[in-house]
Amino acid sequence: MLEASNKQRRIRNSLSREEIKNVSLLILKEEGLEGLSMRKIANRLGCSVASPYSYYESQIDLVQDLIKSGEDELLSMLKKAITEVDSSSAFEKLAAIARSYFNFASNNRELHKVMFVTDYGGVHRKAFPQLPKSYRFFLETVRIGFESGEIPYPKNEYPAIARMMWSWMYGVIVLDMTGMLRKRKGSGNPIEEGISYFQKLLSKK
């Protein structure tokens, strides 16, 4: 791709934070976190290297903003998914969450790595120390299943079961993204398969 450095350089005030984020996401998608740099962003935007620093104090500050945008998009998808569930069943809502999460990860592989893969470079640990909003949403949906009696276990056990279900979902996604997931013939989507098993197991105490 021809870099924008060969074009007339833009002045600093002509940039916007949204432009920087969009170009950053494009570089992240194409080259991963290792390929993301302020210099590369500036080249794509046709501005000086100093220009992005008008909006972000450091690259970590930028990555934190990308993670926040990713979390906001994912949370919006999850909320939309459960509103479209024509049922009060917690399991059906959890299935909708799992499908949306899987779709988000499949369409945003490199961003998902930065958001959730804890060994994906030191930037992640500095940029994203808090509990993901999407996990809190998932946890709340599990809690509702406990309170309604649909998941017949003591209420104080819902955090542990939520962690177990989230770990399964996260593991399936990582295996799929790395090409290590071997799908059983005729088993269908592994997300659907897993939710089905969880419903059978958790509905019987």
Side-chain angles (χ1 to χ4, degrees), residues 28-122:
L28 186 66
K29 183 176 182 178
E30 293 174 352
E31 304 181 37
L33 185 62
E34 295 87 351
L36 183 65
S37 70
M38 291 301 205
R39 182 172 297 279
K40 196 165 289 185
I41 292 167
N43 285 341
R44 294 282 184 103
L45 290 171
C47 61
S48 69
V49 176
S51 294
Y53 287 102
S54 298
Y55 297 89
Y56 297 99
E57 292 183 1
S58 66
Q59 187 169 329
I60 289 177
D61 187 32
L62 169 62
V63 172
Q64 187 172 21
D65 201 18
L66 297 181
I67 289 169
K68 181 181 181 302
S69 294
E71 268 291 296
D72 288 344
E73 180 184 349
L74 175 56
L75 188 62
S76 177
M77 288 175 63
L78 300 183
K79 288 180 177 179
K80 182 176 184 295
I82 68 165
T83 60
E84 294 175 350
V85 173
D86 188 23
S87 170
S88 61
S89 167
F91 283 111
E92 290 193 25
K93 290 179 180 179
L94 288 169
I97 287 173
R99 293 183 199 108
S100 293
Y101 188 90
F102 189 88
N103 290 337
F104 174 86
S106 298
N107 294 327
N108 301 276
R109 290 175 178 264
E110 294 302 322
L111 179 58
H112 180 270
K113 288 179 186 178
V114 179
M115 289 166 62
F116 293 104
V117 181
T118 56
D119 61 353
Y120 198 63

Side-chain angles (χ1 to χ4, degrees), residues 4-200:
S5 55
N6 294 328
K7 302 177 182 178
Q8 184 176 1
R9 178 163 290 185
R10 295 173 59 176
I11 60 175
R12 184 177 301 186
N13 292 338
S14 70
L15 288 175
S16 70
R17 192 180 186 93
E18 200 64 26
E19 280 183 286
I20 296 170
K21 284 170 59 176
N22 289 340
V23 166
S24 300
L25 287 169
L26 182 61
I27 295 171
L28 186 66
K29 183 176 182 178
E30 293 174 352
E31 304 181 37
L33 185 62
E34 295 87 351
L36 183 65
S37 70
M38 291 301 205
R39 182 172 297 279
K40 196 165 289 185
I41 292 167
N43 285 341
R44 294 282 184 103
L45 290 171
C47 61
S48 69
V49 176
S51 294
Y53 287 102
S54 298
Y55 297 89
Y56 297 99
E57 292 183 1
S58 66
Q59 187 169 329
I60 289 177
D61 187 32
L62 169 62
V63 172
Q64 187 172 21
D65 201 18
L66 297 181
I67 289 169
K68 181 181 181 302
S69 294
E71 268 291 296
D72 288 344
E73 180 184 349
L74 175 56
L75 188 62
S76 177
M77 288 175 63
L78 300 183
K79 288 180 177 179
K80 182 176 184 295
I82 68 165
T83 60
E84 294 175 350
V85 173
D86 188 23
S87 170
S88 61
S89 167
F91 283 111
E92 290 193 25
K93 290 179 180 179
L94 288 169
I97 287 173
R99 293 183 199 108
S100 293
Y101 188 90
F102 189 88
N103 290 337
F104 174 86
S106 298
N107 294 327
N108 301 276
R109 290 175 178 264
E110 294 302 322
L111 179 58
H112 180 270
K113 288 179 186 178
V114 179
M115 289 166 62
F116 293 104
V117 181
T118 56
D119 61 353
Y120 198 63
V123 172
H124 172 275
R125 295 184 184 277
K126 294 177 183 177
F128 193 39
Q130 74 274 21
L131 191 67
K133 289 183 287 185
S134 54
Y135 177 72
R136 295 199 296 268
F137 185 76
F138 180 84
L139 184 65
E140 176 66 11
T141 306
V142 174
R143 184 186 65 78
I144 291 171
F146 271 75
E147 291 186 345
S148 69
E150 188 176 2
I151 303 176
Y153 281 78
K155 290 181 182 178
N156 62 351
E157 293 186 20
Y158 86 86
I161 289 180
R163 284 194 298 271
M164 178 180 67
M165 294 181 74
W166 179 273
S167 298
W168 153 76
M169 184 171 65
Y170 174 77
V172 167
I173 287 169
V174 171
L175 289 172
D176 181 68
M177 290 171 69
T178 55
M180 296 176 65
L181 183 64
R182 180 175 293 179
K183 300 173 185 177
R184 291 190 300 140
K185 188 175 181 181
S187 63
N189 188 316
I191 291 292
E192 307 296 338
E193 183 182 56
I195 285 291
S196 175
Y197 280 124
F198 270 114
Q199 183 167 7
K200 291 174 184 176

